[in-house]
Amino acid sequence: MKPAPFAYRDPDSVDEVLALLAEHGDDAKLLAGGQSLGPMLNMRVVSPEFIVDLNRVKALSRRGTSADGGFAIGALVRQAELEDDPAFAVAQPLAAAALPWIAHRPIRNRGTVAGSLVHADPAAEWGGIILALDARLAIRRAGAPPREVEAENFFTGILETAVEAEDLLAEIRLPPWPDGARWGFREFARRRGDFALAGVACRFEVDGAGRCRSVRIGLVGVGDTAVRARLAESVLEGEPPGAELFAAAAAAVGKEVEPLDDGHASAAYRRHLAEVVVADALAEAWEQDGRDEG
Amino acid sequence: MDRMETPPLAKERTDGHDEPSPVSPRRLVGRSVRRLEDPRRLRGEGTYVDDVHVPGMLHATVVRSPRAHARIRSIDATEAKAAPGIVAILGARELGGDLRPIPVRLVPDERLLRYLQRPLATNRVRYVGEPVALVVARSRAAAEDAAERVEVDYEPLPPVTDASSAPPAPLFDHTPDNLASLIEEAFGNIDAAFARAERVVRLAFRTGRHSAVPMETRGLVAVPDRGAAEGRGRLTVWGPTKVTHFNRSVLAAMLGWPEHRIRLVEPDVGGGFGARGEFYPEDFLVPCAALRLGRPVKWIEDRVEHLSAINHSREQRYELALALDSDGRFLGLRAEIVNDMGAYLRTHGTVVPGLSAGMLPGPYEMQAYRCRVRCVLTNKTPTGTYRAPGRFECNAARERLIDRAARLTGIGRMDLRMRNLVRPERMPFARGTSILGEEVVYDSGDYPAALAEAVALSGFRMSVPDAVPGAGARAGAGSASGDAPEARPESRAGSAANAVPVAPARESGARAESGTRSDGGSYGREEPGRYRYGMGLACFVEKTGTGPFEGARAFLDRSGALVVATGAADLGQGLETCLAQIAGDALGVDHAGITVRHGDTDLIPHGVGSFASRGTVMAGNAVHEAVSELRTRVLERAAARLGVPPGDLAIGPGGLVRGTGGRSCTLAELAAEPGLEMVRYFRCEQMAYSHGVTVARVKVDTATGLVVPERIWLLYDVGRVVNPSIVAGQIEGGVAQGIGGSLLEELRYDDTGQFLSGSFMDYVLPGTTDVPTILHRDLGRSPSPRNPLGVKGAGEVGIAGVGGAVANAVADALADAEREDDELPLTPERVWKRVRCNPSPQTPAAAAAGGRNPV
């Protein structure tokens, strides 16, 4: 449980970080909160030659309302900072409601949103959240213009994302919360704080005609990556919400997900759990009376 | 119901914790005095094995097999030897002839010798995690770097992962069927019993492989004297625990060193639970490396290796058949058990399956019994004891069988048990079986009273309504906190009724009662019929106080302070405090000034150790005898000095010995001359048997299969209680571990023998939000007649019945107690599959019409 030897750098600017990444690329790992990387180093699951520690880069610690009225989360923002920020709860009720379900408080004290996203465990809550929120991920690389990736293009495979070896995920950009949007977050884990066997973040609006609009369902734990439940979204879109519709949407989720068999649960069980959490989360969302419910 | 009275909590807590008080006989035993160990442990001032630092110390790590079953073609350490900081790599080639088998500690049997484990695999590995080489370097990190470079060439062999099916390969060529041992227990005429039976009820039951996970992993620091490598001086080993004297003998024999030149020292220990402290491969490898290198060597087990290196336990399959007459009386019990032993037999030999076979009949009368246990080797980590070994399993199987019988006969679950429990007038009761080479004879106990009180305490009779949304939960809460006498846990130790505040802070019921978790989140939505509620109970007998002896050495030092030394060990259970209470009463002084020493082989020539709930029974009585005789000597000496007869003397606070006429002297004055020293060994040929009844209430989410234990009740009798608060700790800790084994914990392997539970992400331990409120009460009726103090062991009572109670509660909730098989742990996926096979077992209306389990 001791890491293999590595070289350590702790630059204090984004440019230096990018320069180090450009130089060492595949041989380097970025250290933010260390809540995934630390155990992986200790268990020698990874043995990078370089650790580039971001913690002295003050610019990456910024969080708050962005120009478009959305919410920006810098690469060094700890989960607990958001959890404790009343402004975040008002601005982003869905994400705020999901935060307490992420691991345990000591892990949230150090762990960062960006770190969780880049590690890309398929069961990590943030995967479902960014999909449900249409978030954009701001990525930097030395010698290239900053680029933005849509949430739905972010996850590329198991533990893989659009963030490549030379890239820094600099900021997570959550769009402004739509007035009157309803949301639900549910997950099922054997113990509180464990990675969920299935989880969901969902959001929809109800238009003047009483029909579901802008439905987003982000699932975690039921595949290689966090995924949008597009079939279920299409079942809901344009239809009047209600128990039967939600049951149909949940059944659609069961058809569209492709969970894995692993040591924690069978594919069939995960598929079933996905249906349960989706039905629960949709009903929870529907019972809300506007945004102040959060 | 006088036992339900609310005891005077506040008062007892004041006296209990703990001003010097006027002298009275038995003033310490029976009181919840504060633990002497706690100040140093709570302040972080304890010395655990990793706190031991010795100048020049090297660090070791173990190269372990990544394969379940393979021949070792070769080991190439060339690259590893070039690693920075490397000192030595010791493989089977280097250690060669020193690699003798680790012997069986309990109930040795020559027939088991050929299945014993050597400290390193020689030419074949038999489980993932088996030690292949020891790497010693200047730091642990350097040792791990070098260990990565040790190249072992394995030739795969077919892995054996299922003890119940025909093996694809033998683990040992001399035993093609992998059957290491066949254990049989029987009494009465079983065929006649079944021939007479009105009804025969069968059950297949399985308990999952799991084990102890002490907060502190194992570790050793072996320190040779200068010259030890050349055969001079002594070897000191820090880190052994549990059975230090036995381990010294084993180490001496394996090293070919005389015992007197080896000293084993137990530091503070962060938990053992039966698994930690046995003689493991590392207990040889680390001292051996230190002697070979002439340098101190430290090895601290990390959590990843712990999970595959420490003894596993519990993996058993039962095929049971119970013969009943028309009145529901048990005529006979047949049992076929398969115990998955893992790859080798370790220090426990076949003790665990033997305990299952000997204790399966439990607290019930029956005319005939026949049990066979097949002890089968598989390519998994070897097994040993874990808290209530063999009994957690057999109690669960038997109690689940009885609930099935109740369901099928229509006799109430409590009633059926009542008709069959051994009655107190039958004590001492010869069970007709034997365990640990000793006949099982229950010494004392009122089993029917325990059941009656447990039912009253838990409101069991009132059962729980089926899943009407919300209402079930509320009714359940009502039965526990309103209608039934709420558990003000009570303990009756000696003549004084003592209150033990039981987990008042653990009123985590909020989550359970409302369907939401204590941390505010929610499991799921309350929909009609989604949640089902059930209660289950389990009666059990616990063997405790295993012999053959334990010793105590007691003396007054020159300050007049009492020092007591014993061969028993403290694994965190509070042994120092209990022994100080007993010693204080025996001499007539306060416990706080008494020094209790233990776990160091230099303290006392003979010791047996701490296991099998024996510490307070065996060491306690040894201390009682030694200090009582010391007191006689003290009084004789004082009598001579003061010129008054010993009978007129009393020892009081501050160590003042007072006689008549105002004459007095201090213990310090008396101890100025040598001679106030006493060694006594307490022997006991027969064990003491505690007993109890565990009741569980659960909530089952039929949508996800999640079982939420809402509350556990435990009514127990452990004879005379030395320290009620310590007993409460034992009970609650045991219940928590029982919840783990019932619902969460399982050490899993895939079909290739790969270990799947190598981290806490994969091996699911109960956390604070998983352990329900625990309410318990001491029946306090049955001191043991087998020792002067009347004590019985309490260490395993908490866990012994949890599996059975939870399994029965889940079956009650799902209204499927008649099913032909059951298992532990009841993981959500298993419960979900079970619900899916039987999707709507009972509507509330059907339940009301009598479809439920009768109580």
Side-chain angles (χ1 to χ4, degrees):
Chain A
M1 293 275 273
K2 305 287 182 203
F6 56 81
Y8 174 85
R9 301 282 186 275
D10 58 340
D12 49 22
S13 74
V14 170
D15 286 342
E16 287 171 85
V17 170
L18 299 181
L20 282 164
L21 287 176
E23 187 182 349
H24 300 294
D26 281 333
D27 300 328
K29 277 276 178 195
L30 293 177
L31 172 66
Q35 299 303 297
S36 299
L37 182 59
M40 287 167 66
L41 287 170
N42 285 345
M43 293 168 125
R44 296 184 181 230
V45 175
V46 294
S47 304
E49 277 180 43
F50 286 88
I51 296 286
V52 180
D53 186 344
L54 298 179
N55 283 277
R56 274 155 48 84
V57 186
K58 296 229 166 26
L60 295 175
S61 297
R62 281 199 287 263
R63 69 170 195 278
T65 309
S66 46
D68 64 353
F71 202 96
I73 302 167
L76 267 183
V77 174
R78 320 281 167 183
Q79 312 262 17
E81 289 179 66
L82 296 177
E83 190 179 4
D84 296 345
D85 181 351
F88 185 71
V90 172
Q92 296 291 338
L94 169 53
L99 275 163
W101 292 88
I102 298 171
H104 303 275
R105 179 72 193 204
I107 292 172
R108 297 194 295 273
N109 283 340
R110 291 293 300 167
T112 62
V113 176
S116 171
L117 283 168
V118 173
H119 179 55
D121 188 293
E125 288 81 357
W126 273 103
I129 297 168
I130 62 167
L131 289 170
L133 297 183
D134 289 335
R136 287 165 288 119
L137 296 308
I139 296 172
R140 301 278 307 273
R141 179 187 294 202
R147 71 184 204 274
E148 267 192 0
V149 172
E150 302 292 327
E152 59 193 288
N153 299 322
F154 184 71
F155 299 107
T156 55
I158 189 156
L159 303 180
E160 283 182 12
T161 70
V163 179
E164 292 174 12
E166 294 175 23
D167 292 341
L168 167 70
L169 172 59
E171 195 169 82
I172 296 99
R173 296 174 181 164
L174 308 181
W177 182 259
D179 271 345
R182 298 155 184 274
W183 51 268
F185 178 85
R186 291 279 165 158
E187 69 175 39
F188 180 83
R190 292 190 61 194
R191 277 178 317 193
R192 180 72 191 249
D194 286 358
F195 276 122
L197 298 181
V200 61
C202 70
R203 186 185 70 171
F204 61 86
E205 294 162 43
V206 179
D207 68 12
R211 295 173 189 281
C212 295
R213 298 290 175 202
S214 306
V215 183
R216 293 288 180 279
I217 299 175
L219 297 169
V220 301
V222 288
D224 281 356
T225 68
V227 287
R228 282 266 298 273
R230 289 183 183 279
L231 186 60
E233 289 175 5
S234 69
V235 166
L236 293 163
E237 193 73 41
E239 298 293 328
E244 279 178 31
L245 183 69
F246 298 154
V253 164
K255 291 196 187 78
E256 67 185 305
V257 295
E258 293 173 11
L260 307 171
D261 260 316
D262 64 19
H264 297 281
S266 69
Y269 184 50
R270 281 185 196 268
R271 183 187 309 277
H272 167 76
L273 289 174
E275 294 179 23
V276 172
V277 295
V278 165
D280 284 353
L282 289 170
E284 178 186 56
W286 175 230
E287 283 162 17
Q288 279 171 358
D289 198 17
R291 60 179 296 170
D292 294 337
E293 275 297 298
Chain B
M1 283 279 174
D2 58 333
R3 274 164 208 289
M4 303 299 178
E5 283 169 15
T6 304
L9 267 177
K11 177 172 174 294
E12 284 299 331
R13 288 167 91 168
T14 315
D15 314 346
H17 294 159
D18 200 87
E19 305 304 314
S21 51
V23 178
S24 65
R26 302 276 171 251
R27 68 197 183 110
L28 293 167
V29 168
R31 277 172 45 195
S32 293
V33 303
R34 282 192 178 145
R35 296 191 350 153
L36 301 175
E37 302 89 337
D38 285 349
R40 74 173 187 271
R41 291 190 182 146
L42 296 176
R43 289 188 174 105
E45 293 164 355
T47 301
Y48 296 85
V49 61
D50 203 17
D51 297 320
V52 175
H53 300 278
V54 181
M57 187 169 76
L58 302 171
H59 298 265
T61 193
V62 180
V63 177
R64 297 180 184 277
S65 170
R67 292 181 182 269
H69 199 189
R71 232 178 284 284
I72 299 176
R73 284 207 195 94
S74 65
I75 300 178
D76 180 359
T78 318
E79 254 202 79
K81 281 178 183 159
I86 188 73
V87 175
I89 295 168
L90 304 172
R93 193 170 33 184
E94 288 75 19
L95 298 184
D98 284 352
L99 294 174
R100 298 170 206 180
I102 299 170
V104 171
R105 177 169 67 82
L106 288 169
V107 203
D109 179 340
E110 270 190 20
R111 288 168 297 180
L112 306 181
L113 292 178
R114 51 192 187 155
Y115 306 112
L116 300 181
Q117 182 172 14
R118 291 168 198 269
L120 289 178
T122 46
N123 49 28
R124 189 160 165 181
V125 290
R126 293 185 173 87
Y127 64 96
V128 170
E130 180 166 3
V132 172
L134 188 77
V135 176
V136 185
R138 292 201 180 82
S139 71
R140 174 66 183 241
E144 291 188 21
D145 291 344
E148 275 198 327
R149 303 189 196 179
V150 175
E151 298 284 342
V152 185
D153 185 10
Y154 293 105
E155 176 191 336
L157 295 167
V160 179
T161 57
D162 180 2
S164 300
S165 58
L171 269 75
F172 295 87
D173 295 335
H174 51 66
T175 307
D177 58 2
N178 289 330
L179 185 66
S181 181
L182 185 67
I183 294 172
E184 299 193 71
E185 284 285 343
F187 58 80
N189 185 333
I190 194 73
D191 293 331
F194 274 77
R196 272 204 321 281
E198 170 78 15
R199 186 189 270 274
V200 174
V201 176
R202 295 171 202 283
L203 180 76
F205 194 84
R206 189 188 79 86
T207 45
R209 175 175 277 247
H210 65 280
S211 192
V213 183
M215 189 176 293
E216 184 199 21
T217 55
R218 296 180 295 141
L220 296 162
V221 181
V223 186
D225 284 354
R226 272 181 218 158
E230 287 82 46
R232 299 181 298 276
R234 298 181 87 206
L235 171 71
T236 303
V237 184
W238 298 81
T241 180
K242 184 178 179 179
V243 286
T244 47
H245 284 80
F246 176 82
N247 284 358
R248 177 179 61 174
S249 302
V250 172
L251 182 59
M254 290 179 73
L255 289 172
W257 266 48
E259 277 195 31
H260 71 271
R261 284 172 52 204
I262 299 177
R263 178 185 172 208
L264 265 48
V265 190
E266 171 193 53
D268 281 317
V269 172
F273 312 111
R276 184 163 170 213
E278 291 295 324
F279 199 99
Y280 283 92
E282 298 86 356
D283 290 80
F284 169 80
L285 295 172
V286 175
C288 176
L291 284 181
R292 289 215 168 199
L293 301 170
R295 300 270 299 272
V297 176
K298 173 185 270 190
W299 166 75
I300 301 295
E301 180 184 54
D302 70 32
R303 190 58 77 181
V304 173
E305 56 184 340
H306 171 88
L307 288 166
S308 67
I310 200 157
N311 285 341
H312 290 178
S313 200
R314 303 278 201 253
E315 190 171 7
Q316 295 186 343
R317 280 177 189 273
Y318 288 77
E319 298 285 342
L320 300 177
L322 178 66
L324 300 99
D325 72 10
S326 52
D327 292 329
R329 281 183 213 290
F330 301 165
L331 299 173
L333 175 62
R334 270 198 181 115
E336 294 283 339
I337 306 174
V338 176
N339 194 123
D340 184 325
M341 304 301 294
Y344 298 94
L345 299 186
R346 280 185 172 168
T347 50
H348 295 110
T350 55
V351 157
V352 175
L355 286 166
S356 294
M359 299 295 286
L360 179 61
Y364 303 102
E365 294 269 9
M366 57 187 72
Q367 295 162 15
Y369 173 60
R370 180 175 155 78
C371 174
R372 288 200 322 166
V373 194
R374 294 165 54 82
C375 305
V376 179
L377 299 165
T378 58
N379 290 117
K380 305 181 198 171
T381 295
T383 56
T385 58
Y386 169 36
R387 206 170 194 174
R391 287 101 71 196
F392 177 86
E393 305 93 309
C394 78
N395 291 335
R398 179 193 62 244
E399 294 299 312
R400 187 64 191 78
L401 172 70
I402 292 173
D403 266 25
R404 179 159 200 257
R407 178 81 163 187
L408 295 177
T409 59
I411 303 172
R413 292 186 281 171
M414 189 191 83
D415 189 17
L416 183 59
R417 287 176 171 85
M418 252 337 160
R419 291 183 198 190
N420 288 285
L421 285 172
V422 174
R423 309 205 66 81
E425 58 271 20
R426 298 269 281 144
M427 297 291 167
F429 179 80
R431 178 72 276 180
T433 59
S434 63
I435 51 175
L436 301 169
E438 173 184 324
E439 259 186 70
V440 176
V441 183
Y442 300 159
D443 52 345
S444 63
D446 190 340
Y447 304 163
L451 178 55
E453 296 254 348
V455 165
L457 179 70
S458 62
F460 182 78
R461 186 176 279 286
M462 298 164 52
S463 196
V464 185
D466 269 291
V468 181
R474 280 191 294 279
S479 75
S481 58
D483 306 311
E486 179 62 0
R488 284 278 175 208
E490 168 187 350
S491 112
R492 294 181 171 251
S495 56
N498 256 329
V500 190
V502 176
R506 233 185 279 170
E507 202 63 45
S508 56
R511 90 180 138 108
E513 318 273 345
S514 66
T516 56
R517 307 181 70 142
S518 58
D519 37 29
S522 175
Y523 279 115
R525 301 173 54 76
E526 297 277 355
E527 287 151 11
R530 174 162 176 175
Y531 296 100
R532 294 180 174 274
Y533 300 83
M535 289 184 84
L537 61 76
C539 303
F540 62 88
V541 182
E542 258 299 286
K543 64 133 198 78
T544 78
T546 305
F549 71 85
E550 195 57 82
R553 180 170 155 242
F555 62 87
L556 293 184
D557 72 9
R558 285 181 47 82
S559 72
L562 177 60
V563 179
V564 175
T566 177
D570 187 84
L571 302 135
Q573 78 272 39
L575 182 84
E576 292 176 21
T577 306
C578 287
L579 296 187
Q581 288 178 263
I582 292 166
D585 277 354
L587 185 63
V589 300
D590 194 68
H591 69 293
I594 298 172
T595 301
V596 177
R597 304 195 58 200
H598 52 84
D600 182 335
T601 53
D602 276 4
L603 288 171
I604 187 163
H606 299 275
V608 178
S610 289
F611 55 93
S613 298
R614 71 187 298 281
T616 304
V617 181
M618 300 304 293
N621 279 290
V623 166
H624 174 70
E625 287 188 0
V627 179
S628 296
E629 294 197 33
L630 183 66
R631 176 185 166 90
T632 304
R633 286 213 188 164
V634 166
L635 293 181
E636 282 168 4
R637 191 175 279 194
R641 184 183 179 108
L642 300 176
V644 290
D648 291 348
L649 292 167
I651 301 176
L656 200 64
V657 186
R658 294 169 201 271
T660 46
R663 276 173 286 189
S664 69
C665 63
T666 63
L667 289 175
E669 286 165 340
L670 296 173
E673 291 295 317
L676 293 183
E677 187 167 357
M678 193 65 62
V679 178
R680 282 291 176 273
Y681 287 90
F682 175 74
R683 285 191 165 272
C684 191
E685 303 305 330
Q686 280 191 311
M687 290 183 253
Y689 291 85
S690 299
H691 66 99
V693 179
T694 308
V695 185
R697 191 179 79 215
V698 302
K699 170 181 177 177
V700 182
D701 181 350
T702 56
T704 62
L706 185 74
V707 177
V708 178
E710 293 196 319
R711 191 161 290 205
I712 298 284
W713 296 264
L714 183 57
L715 201 295
Y716 60 91
D717 198 323
V718 295
R720 189 155 161 236
V721 170
V722 174
N723 187 316
S725 161
I726 286 178
V727 169
Q730 290 286 330
I731 300 287
E732 290 165 24
V735 168
Q737 287 177 315
I739 293 292
S742 302
L743 297 173
L744 297 163
E745 294 175 48
E746 191 163 23
L747 295 158
R748 297 172 60 251
Y749 289 82
D750 70 11
D751 293 343
T752 70
Q754 268 310 317
F755 183 51
L756 302 178
S757 308
S759 82
F760 285 162
M761 284 172 62
D762 309 297
Y763 187 67
V764 185
L765 288 168
T768 48
T769 55
D770 304 299
V771 179
T773 305
I774 302 160
L775 300 169
H776 52 89
R777 182 173 299 165
D778 178 8
L779 188 63
R781 286 195 188 175
S782 306
S784 176
R786 291 188 178 149
N787 63 74
L789 289 173
V791 295
K792 300 177 177 181
E796 297 164 281
V797 166
I799 196 171
V802 179
V806 169
N808 282 335
V810 171
D812 185 39
L814 300 179
D816 66 355
E818 72 283 1
R819 57 183 290 123
E820 293 168 346
D821 61 338
D822 208 337
E823 66 185 320
L824 295 176
L826 288 161
T827 61
E829 183 162 1
R830 286 180 183 142
V831 173
W832 169 68
K833 284 181 177 155
R834 181 160 148 184
V835 170
R836 213 170 47 149
C837 293
N838 185 17
S840 51
Q842 295 286 323
T843 62
R852 294 187 55 78
N853 267 357
V855 293

